[in-house]
């Protein structure tokens, strides 16, 4: 028998044992949990933790650099920094911070203040700052001890030459997507691969940008070399700006191509835009008029039709046509531009003086089917395939349904539609002994290791005419510049070939032509003995004077004068022969010093050829123009050229030789 004391001790031990068991069970579970967390389930819980506290971002690596033919950078991607704020972390008032940052940001002080008052943990203040500005803002943040204001690194597309070749290059949006021009066409080839970045996040899942945990870098991007010569591009664009300022047209375009290879050396349009600030542009400024626009070529089409007639044997260059100033075709009368007749003329005079009636007779004699066939051989009626967005096919007649009036109109460049690029391609055949080259812009795309990813070589796309036909028409076109309607395109000392054009402007959206609106153009190539350049200038609806000889031809003279000097092309005539043709110094010299003429367009510049240094200096001083002489003796070259207009106070450069 247990005593009461023994029973009490037994109960106490049982209670203690029960308490020990009750204590050991959770303790054991806790120990097990600790062992599990530390050893067995460690990897799983680590992954869950990282998933809850990190965020994965996909970033785009830099796009490929675009170079011109000489290795000059036209487009490049660089690291840029974007400024953002966490309004929940700022310790100064939004008003104070806005006042401090406003001088450095694009947005105004009230907008900064408004963003800092938003109910969020993240707002942009400015994206893609340039390095200098970012450095200044960092300095201010440090000096003023601003909290909640941070930078994030990113990639920014930079166009070092600003608006140069803007429609040709296009631009890239904030998502690094090519939107226009070559940036769009080459997007898949140069858009750099993607990179993964894992970032720490705060409890609200907002990335902490300075806490990079891991980055997987992509391959380096490809590089692109274009056929463009940035110096010739600059000269062409400067000439375009000149015609825009003088003639105030709705738009204009220039193309310069090597006729032997098809390489585009320059391509420019106006109006234009700066791809660094593409958001300030619009559809009209983005448009590459050299490729997208179609127009009636007018008289610049006459050499093509003349070549077709001669090459087909339907017209002899010595054939005489009696021009009376008008010609009747069915129920329509066609006139020369001045409605005057020139009497007996041959093909040389018909082209030199742009005689419409002679071209109508030539066209009717040759026939619409033959003319259209040759037009197609010259590449009209279909896109060149240069690979730029929006290239048009143009419009030709169906030869089976052409009426005599259609044939007559086509013979001098009316009632058809072409693109500027098609005209340049066609004239490459005249300049290149009948062989027509396909225009191209991308010379080469290289892999990061220097190997060639893609290369474009010159490609002949046909021989529309025989070599002797090309040489015959070229010789006639050289006479047009020397002594015909294209004299204002003459480059002193050089023999170039060319044709002026003035066409009525199609009334877009309605039938017929727009009243009082014209397209002035000039098509040229040369030098005659070794053609290296084919050039087209198209000026859309100039104000005031509108003839191609007055508006477009002087642009050719201006830019080609600079190009031949830049490339060091020897004159067609030795300088000694040019000087021998100039009036001699002394009392017997024959040139007359003109009066200074001030006009609304500026100060009219005469030809200084043959003047001595003192005469040029005296005239420019009276005209309130600066004088930049080069050499001594008598003037053999000047810039601006004769017939141009200069702003008061601007400089005139004149080269002298003995």
């Amino acid at each position: 028998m247990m005593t009461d004391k023994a029973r009490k001790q037994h109960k106490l031990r049982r209670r203690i044992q029960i308490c020990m068991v009750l204590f050991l069970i959770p303790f054991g579970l806790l120990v097990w949990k600790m062992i599990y967390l530390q050893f067995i389930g460690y990897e799983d819980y680590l992954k869950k933790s990282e998933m809850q506290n990190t965020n994965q971002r996909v970033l785009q690596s830099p796009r490929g650099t675009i170079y011109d033919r000489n290795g000059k950078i036209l487009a490049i991607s660089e690291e840029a920094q974007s400024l953002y704020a966490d309004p929940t972390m700022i310790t100064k008032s939004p008003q104070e911070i806005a006042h401090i940052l406003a001088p450095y940001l694009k947005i105004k002080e009230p907008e900064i203040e408004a963003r800092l008052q938003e109910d969020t943990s993240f707002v942009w203040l400015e994206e893609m700052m340039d390095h200098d500005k970012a450095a200044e803002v960092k300095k201010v943040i440090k000096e003023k001890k601003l909290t909640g204001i941070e930078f994030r690194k990113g990639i920014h597309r930079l166009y070092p030459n600003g608006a140069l070749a803007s429609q040709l290059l296009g631009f890239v949006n904030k998502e690094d997507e090519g939107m226009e021009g070559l940036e769009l066409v080459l997007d898949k080839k140069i858009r750099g691969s993607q990179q993964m970045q894992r970032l720490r996040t705060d409890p609200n899942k907002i990335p902490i940008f300075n806490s990079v945990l891991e980055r997987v870098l992509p391959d380096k991007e490809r590089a692109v070399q274009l056929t463009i010569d940035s110096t010739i591009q600059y000269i062409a664009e400067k000439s375009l700006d000149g015609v825009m300022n003088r003639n105030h047209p709705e738009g204009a375009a220039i193309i310069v191509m090597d006729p032997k290879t098809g390489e585009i050396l320059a391509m420019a349009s106006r109006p234009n835009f700066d791809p660094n600030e593409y958001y300030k542009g619009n559809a009209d400024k983005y448009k590459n008029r050299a490729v997208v626009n179609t127009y009636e070529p007018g008289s610049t089409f006459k050499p093509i039709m003349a070549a077709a007639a001669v090459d087909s044997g339907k017209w002899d260059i010595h054939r005489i046509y009696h021009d009376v100033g008008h010609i009747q075709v069915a129920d329509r009368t066609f006139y020369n531009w001045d409605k005057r007749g020139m009497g007996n003329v041959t093909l040389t005079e018909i082209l030199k003086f742009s005689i419409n009636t002679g071209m109508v007779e030539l066209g009717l004699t040759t026939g619409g089917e033959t003319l259209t066939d040759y037009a197609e051989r010259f590449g009209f009626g279909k896109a060149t395939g240069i690979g730029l967005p929006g290239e048009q096919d143009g419009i030709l007649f169906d030869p089976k349904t052409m009426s005599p009036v259609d044939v007559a109109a086509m013979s001098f460049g009316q009632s058809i539609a072409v693109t500027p690029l098609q005209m340049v391609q066609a004239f490459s055949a005249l300049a290149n002994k009948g062989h027509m080259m396909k225009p191209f812009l991308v010379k080469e795309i290289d892999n990061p290791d220097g190997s060639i990813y893609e290369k474009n070589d010159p490609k002949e796309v046909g021989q529309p005419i025989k070599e002797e036909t090309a040489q015959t028409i070229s010789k006639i076109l050289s006479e047009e510049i020397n002594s015909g309607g294209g004299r204002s395109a003459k480059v002193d000392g050089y023999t170039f070939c060319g044709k002026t054009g003035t066409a009525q402007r199609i009334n877009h959206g309605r039938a017929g032509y727009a009243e009082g609106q014209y397209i002035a153009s000039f098509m040229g190539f040369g030098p005659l003995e070794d053609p290296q350049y084919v050039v087209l200038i198209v000026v859309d609806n100039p104000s005031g004077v509108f003839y191609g000889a007055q508006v477009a031809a002087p642009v050719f003279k201006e830019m080609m004068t600079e190009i031949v000097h830049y490339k060091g092309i020897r004159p067609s005539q030795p300088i000694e022969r040019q000087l021998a043709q100039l009036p001699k110094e002394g009392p017997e010299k024959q040139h007359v010093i003109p009066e200074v003429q001030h006009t609304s367009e500026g100060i009219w510049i005469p030809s200084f050829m043959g003047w001595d240094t003192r005469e040029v200096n005296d005239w420019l001083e009276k005209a309130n123009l600066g004088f930049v002489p080069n050499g001594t003796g008598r003037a053999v070259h000047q810039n601006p050229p004769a017939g141009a207009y200069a702003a008061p106070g601007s400089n005139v450069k004149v080269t002298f030789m003995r």
Side-chain angles (χ1 to χ4, degrees), residues 33 49 84-85 104 157 187 203 218 233 293 302 344 365 413 484 511 527 537 657:
K33 188 67 174 180
S49 175
Y84 70 95
Y104 305 95
R157 192 63 162 173
D187 191 57
Q233 180 76 25
N293 277 22
K302 290 175 180 176
N344 292 336
T365 302
I537 301 106
M657 293 190 70

Side-chain angles (χ1 to χ4, degrees), residues 477-493:
L477 295 182
S478 72
E479 293 185 32
E480 167 159 351
I481 288 184
N482 285 329
S483 57
R487 287 189 297 272
S488 53
K490 182 175 174 59
V491 180
D492 296 330

Side-chain angles (χ1 to χ4, degrees), residues 392-648:
Q392 301 297 306
D393 289 331
I395 301 172
L396 292 178
F397 286 107
D398 181 348
K400 296 178 181 178
T401 60
M402 286 181 76
S403 69
V405 171
D406 294 334
V407 175
M410 180 180 174
S411 67
F412 61 94
Q414 282 192 353
S415 301
I416 59 170
V418 304
T419 67
L421 192 60
Q422 288 174 335
M423 289 294 291
V424 170
Q425 177 181 256
F427 268 73
S428 75
L430 294 178
N432 193 35
K433 300 179 180 179
H435 299 273
M436 189 169 73
M437 306 303 293
K438 179 180 179 179
F440 68 102
L441 278 163
V442 178
K443 197 176 185 71
E444 189 171 297
I445 301 177
D446 295 327
N447 290 313
D449 61 3
S451 61
I452 296 175
Y453 171 78
E454 182 180 293
K455 185 175 182 179
N456 292 316
D457 294 314
K459 181 180 180 181
E460 183 176 330
V461 288
Q463 185 177 354
I465 54 175
K466 296 183 283 290
E467 179 177 343
E468 52 268 31
T469 304
Q471 292 176 335
T472 297
I473 301 299
S474 296
K475 183 65 171 60
I476 295 174
L477 295 182
S478 72
E479 293 185 32
E480 167 159 351
I481 288 184
N482 285 329
S483 57
R487 287 189 297 272
S488 53
K490 182 175 174 59
V491 180
D492 296 330
Y494 297 83
T495 303
F496 277 88
C497 312
K499 186 76 190 74
T500 59
T502 307
Q504 290 177 281
R505 196 166 182 252
I506 297 173
N507 199 348
H508 294 289
R510 289 182 293 175
Y513 297 98
E515 182 68 28
Q517 297 185 20
Y518 299 89
I519 293 178
S521 61
F522 183 83
M523 188 81 237
F525 61 89
L528 175 63
E529 59 274 14
D530 182 23
Q532 299 179 45
Y533 305 100
V534 176
V535 180
L536 174 62
I537 301 106
V538 180
V539 185
D540 188 2
N541 196 25
S543 300
V545 295
F546 55 83
Y547 289 109
Q550 297 171 296
V551 176
V555 179
F556 179 85
K557 173 187 175 74
E558 176 185 333
M559 63 182 293
M560 287 311 305
T561 297
E562 290 196 50
I563 289 173
V564 294
H565 283 89
Y566 159 60
K567 299 302 290 185
I569 298 175
R570 295 177 63 86
S572 301
Q573 295 180 330
I575 291 294
E576 293 77 9
R577 186 183 303 176
Q578 295 178 52
L579 292 175
Q581 296 171 355
L582 296 174
K584 298 180 180 180
E585 297 184 21
E588 69 274 24
K589 57 192 172 191
Q590 301 170 4
H591 58 264
V592 177
I593 307 297
E595 293 294 326
V596 175
Q597 299 180 31
H598 293 271
T599 72
S600 60
E601 297 181 347
I603 300 168
W604 178 78
I605 302 296
S607 172
F608 297 126
M609 299 301 98
W611 296 24
D612 60 29
T613 309
R614 179 183 56 79
E615 290 171 328
V616 175
N617 181 70
D618 290 347
W619 193 93
L620 292 174
E621 188 174 350
K622 290 179 182 178
N624 190 29
L625 294 170
F627 181 27
V628 182
N630 180 26
T632 59
R634 287 179 290 155
V636 295
H637 178 256
Q638 66 185 76
N639 187 30
Y645 294 89

Side-chain angles (χ1 to χ4, degrees), residues 325-451:
H326 58 85
I327 185 172
Q328 188 73 28
V329 180
D331 60 348
R332 183 171 171 184
T333 303
F334 292 91
Y335 298 92
N336 291 331
W337 68 273
D338 59 359
K339 295 188 177 181
R340 296 180 180 178
M342 294 192 66
N344 292 336
V345 293
T346 64
L347 183 60
T348 297
E349 287 76 33
I350 290 173
L351 289 179
K352 273 182 64 174
F353 301 106
S354 207
I355 301 173
N356 289 342
T357 59
M359 288 303 303
V360 170
E361 181 69 18
L362 175 147
L364 293 173
T365 302
T366 304
E369 190 168 341
T370 299
L371 292 181
T372 305
D373 176 53
Y374 271 87
E376 290 175 346
R377 293 191 203 181
F378 274 106
F380 296 103
K382 61 181 179 181
T384 67
I386 196 171
L388 288 174
E391 184 180 10
Q392 301 297 306
D393 289 331
I395 301 172
L396 292 178
F397 286 107
D398 181 348
K400 296 178 181 178
T401 60
M402 286 181 76
S403 69
V405 171
D406 294 334
V407 175
M410 180 180 174
S411 67
F412 61 94
Q414 282 192 353
S415 301
I416 59 170
V418 304
T419 67
L421 192 60
Q422 288 174 335
M423 289 294 291
V424 170
Q425 177 181 256
F427 268 73
S428 75
L430 294 178
N432 193 35
K433 300 179 180 179
H435 299 273
M436 189 169 73
M437 306 303 293
K438 179 180 179 179
F440 68 102
L441 278 163
V442 178
K443 197 176 185 71
E444 189 171 297
I445 301 177
D446 295 327
N447 290 313
D449 61 3
S451 61

Side-chain angles (χ1 to χ4, degrees), residues 165-217:
S166 57
Q167 292 97 348
L168 179 62
L169 294 171
F171 62 88
V172 174
N173 65 14
K174 292 181 179 180
E175 286 70 43
D176 200 45
E177 299 170 331
M179 299 302 293
E180 295 284 350
L182 289 171
E183 292 281 26
L184 172 62
V185 173
L186 301 175
D187 191 57
K188 293 182 179 179
K189 297 177 181 178
I190 66 172
R191 193 185 176 182
S193 53
Q194 294 180 333
Q195 60 184 340
M196 182 186 71
Q197 187 180 58
R198 288 196 302 121
L199 308 167
R200 289 275 184 209
T201 59
D202 64 14
N204 296 317
K205 302 299 289 182
I206 300 298
I208 303 171
F209 290 115
N210 293 329
S211 61
V212 179
L213 299 178
E214 177 185 347
R215 177 176 289 177
V216 181
L217 294 176

Side-chain angles (χ1 to χ4, degrees), residues 22 38 113 162 179 211 239 256 288 318 324 355 385 426 464 470 485 491 522:
L22 292 175
Q38 289 292 326
E113 183 179 334
M179 299 302 293
S211 61
S239 298
V256 183
N288 189 341
H318 302 297
V324 296
I355 301 173
V491 180
F522 183 83

